[in-house]
Each structure stands twice: as C-alpha cells, then as structure tokens.
Amino acid sequence: MAFRKRSVVPQSGGLLSNQPVAAKQSLPQGVRPSPLDGRLTTSTGTHSLDSLLSGHSGLALGTSLFIEENGTTDFAGALVRYYAAEGVVQGHHVHVLGMNEAWGRELPGVGVDDSSSRRAESRQNDEKMKIAWRYERLGEFGAGSRDRNASQLKGPSDSTSTAIFCHDFDLSKRLTLPSPSNVKFVPLSTKPNLDFKDADSTLSPFTVFLAHLTSQISATPITTVHRIVIPDILSPAIYPTEAARPEHLLQFLHALRALLRKYPTQLTVVITLHSTLYPRSTGLTRWMELLSDGVLELAPFPSTAVAIKSNPTSTIQEEPPQGMLKIHRLPIFHEKGGGGGEASGFGDDLAFTLSRRKGLVIKPFSLTPVEGDSEAQQGGLEHDHGKATKVDIEF
C-alpha cells in the first residue's frame, strides 16, 4: 500500500501542471471548420451549393471546382460572381484571371434583408434553452436546408458574434469595391500585332497568370485566404487560339493544382467552361475534369420550356426550374461520408432556379402535374356510381 497524501494530485512525467494551455488560434473571417473532419472551408456565395459540397457545408480550402455549362446562357457566370462577391465581402484576396475591371463592376450587391434577418435569428438562438446545447449543434450545418447553412457559428468566448459565413446577394444591385481593394484583375495582353507575323505558339498565354499568383500568395501572411476566379476559360472572345493547345492548358492546370497542394489552407479555385465549344466527349475537357477536385455541369432548359403557366389551384407559387444540375465529382471524397449519400444529393435529379433576391437555388427536380388533369389532382376519388362520398373516403 502506497502512503501518499490525498490532497496531492499526481502529475504525469514530463508535463507541468501549471503549464498554460495554448490559446485557440482564431480563424480568418469567412472560414469555418467542416462538420465532418474539421478541415477549413469557405463559402461559395450560394447557400444551396454549399450544402451539396460533400457534406462539408462549403468549399474546402485547397480544392478547386470546375463548372461546365451548355448552351448560350450564363448561369455559371452568376455562380462565379457570387463566389467572387463573397470573397470581397469577407475581405479575402480575389484574383480574377483573364478579365479586366469591367467584370468586377458587375458583381452583385449584398441584400438589404441580410443583416436584419441574421440579427433576428441570433436573438432567437440566444433565447433558447442552453441545457441541450450539444444536441442543438448537431444540425447546425445542415444538409440541404438553407436556414441551417445560414446559421451563425458562435465562438466559445463571444456569444454575440455576428460573423456571417454566406451572405445573401441581390442581382439588381452592384457591389462597391473598397478603395484599397483586394481584388486583382489579370487580363490577357490585347496588344495588336503590327508586324503581321504569326504568333509564337511556343509561348504559353498562361505564364502571366502563374507569375501573378506565385508573387501574390508568397507575399501575404499564411492566414490570408485567396480566391482564384477563372471565368469562361478558353473562350474565343478572351483567349487566343494557342491557349487551347494541350501543352499550354494542361501545364497551367498542373501548376494550379500544385499551388492548391502547396497552400492547402489559403487557396480555392473556381473555373467555368462553355461545354458547347468544348464538349465532355473531347479529350481536352476530360483532362480538365481530371485535374479538378469537383466537377459540376449545368444544363439549362430551352426558353420555351421555362415559360410554364402557373397553376391557379396551387396555393404556393413556385418558380419553375430553369435547368438541371449534374454532379460528376465532389471534392474531398472519403470514408467519413463526404462526396455521397442523401446529404449531398449525389446521384439525384437536381434542378436550379436563378432569381434576383434568392440567387441560384438548387433543389431536387420533380415534375409538376399536367394542367387540366383534374382527376389526377383530386386524387381520382370517383367510382362507377358517381363521385365518392364521405362514407367511401372513410376507412
């Protein structure tokens, strides 16, 4: 039997009991840990898109998202503008490659009801009971619900924190960039060739992009979050014909992927491509998909299919879907559930709708009842002797 005073607390060897606990490092604005594995994530500026990204409720830092679109519409351009506008509001460094300052003047502004609704929601959360706070946090990030994804994360020391992870934007407004703006535009050189000589095909047009990104990222602290925006890559109106050469494009994407792996807590990339010019059946597009972490495809409906008459018997006026969303790959697919399951909608038929205030909303696709089919809408409550009575309906 060991004789020892009961008031003395035994200490483990090599550790001091009076050693202070290391303070928790504060996260940058607009960044929060994933509910699955704790990796850092940031918002894409679209609530419904955040809920689809592998259950992480946001785009994981160090990953890229490749968005393709068919037809002549520009829904992918709206998504990438939401992504850039969210970075501007959160104070992130936004690098727009291939575009000039005119593209930045078209960013949507923050909605008016955004701040007031968040304050009302925070007051409701403060009034809730604090007994079962552990169970209340389980559904905070959500999996498809906009309200859950929009809920605020409160720190352990500040219960009145009003940090917003994803803002609501209004397409009818324009975002005013701050004077010391963190948005950098890197357009391609449009200097006319006065020598009337053929362009040198050995020079890559993406060299200026890599030089800009390398210098900008290395010159900022490690806590700075960078967003790389590449809208309409390989568009003939922006890029020269040499940009579509595999030795130039694939080398640029390999270098971009290397930057993502080198700065896994600072960098995210979103690229858009018109698949009408470069279909998925071509080898170049398939290689671009393989070098991206997440691949989405937007298939808008024809203009004749969008103009659907509203049902007068319906009490809820829902906006008709404007196209289908196909998920080919999601970033961070692992054994903990990321990348699949009913939480992310992987494998389901998804449709999207773009509106002025709600933005781009992604939801499961369902066919509406045929107009004029009153029997199907009423449930077919008829039999051979006439209409169904109350006795027939009751069990």
Side-chain angles (χ1 to χ4, degrees), residues 15-256:
L15 294 178
L16 298 177
S17 59
N18 57 357
Q19 183 178 1
V21 181
K24 183 179 179 180
Q25 185 179 5
S26 60
L27 297 176
Q29 186 177 359
V31 176
R32 71 182 181 189
S34 168
L36 288 179
D37 52 5
R39 70 177 67 246
L40 299 181
T41 61
T42 187
S43 175
T44 59
T46 306
H47 294 276
S48 55
L49 182 58
D50 290 342
S51 63
L52 293 177
L53 294 177
S54 308
H56 295 285
S57 299
L59 182 61
L61 296 182
T63 59
S64 60
L65 192 62
F66 187 67
I67 305 176
E68 306 173 14
E69 183 177 0
N70 300 324
T72 58
T73 55
D74 195 21
F75 292 104
L79 275 178
V80 78
R81 283 185 174 89
Y82 285 137
Y83 171 75
E86 182 67 32
V88 174
V89 175
Q90 298 290 1
H92 299 169
H93 288 238
V94 181
H95 307 274
V96 184
L97 305 184
M99 295 293 182
N100 51 19
E101 290 79 2
W103 189 89
R105 289 192 289 268
E106 298 178 359
L107 295 180
V110 181
V112 178
D113 300 334
D114 185 70
S115 58
S116 59
S117 61
R118 303 303 173 126
R119 286 195 297 267
E121 184 180 357
S122 63
R123 286 195 300 267
Q124 294 177 1
N125 294 335
D126 293 339
E127 295 174 358
K128 291 183 179 179
M129 296 179 64
K130 302 303 180 182
I131 300 176
W133 64 272
R134 289 179 178 269
Y135 306 101
E136 183 183 356
R137 301 272 297 194
L138 291 177
E140 183 176 0
F141 290 93
S145 176
R146 178 176 177 176
D147 295 335
R148 293 179 180 178
N149 287 329
S151 60
Q152 302 173 6
L153 290 179
K154 298 182 179 181
S157 60
D158 187 10
S159 59
T160 61
S161 176
T162 58
I164 301 175
F165 182 73
C166 183
H167 293 77
D168 295 328
F169 295 97
D170 194 342
L171 287 176
S172 62
K173 299 181 179 181
R174 291 295 173 259
L175 185 64
T176 303
L177 301 179
S179 53
S181 177
N182 292 329
V183 183
K184 307 295 182 182
F185 298 94
V186 189
L188 290 175
S189 178
T190 57
K191 183 178 180 180
N193 187 7
L194 301 179
D195 298 335
F196 298 100
K197 295 181 180 180
D198 295 336
D200 191 0
S201 59
T202 60
L203 298 178
S204 175
F206 302 103
T207 306
V208 61
F209 293 166
L210 294 176
H212 168 79
L213 294 176
T214 304
S215 60
Q216 290 291 327
I217 298 176
S218 59
T220 55
I222 59 176
T223 57
T224 306
V225 180
H226 297 264
R227 296 184 178 222
I228 300 178
V229 184
I230 310 179
D232 297 337
I233 192 172
L234 299 183
S235 174
I238 305 173
Y239 293 84
T241 56
E242 296 84 17
R245 298 175 66 93
E247 57 267 24
H248 297 331
L249 178 62
L250 299 183
Q251 186 178 5
F252 167 68
L253 294 179
H254 272 288
L256 200 61

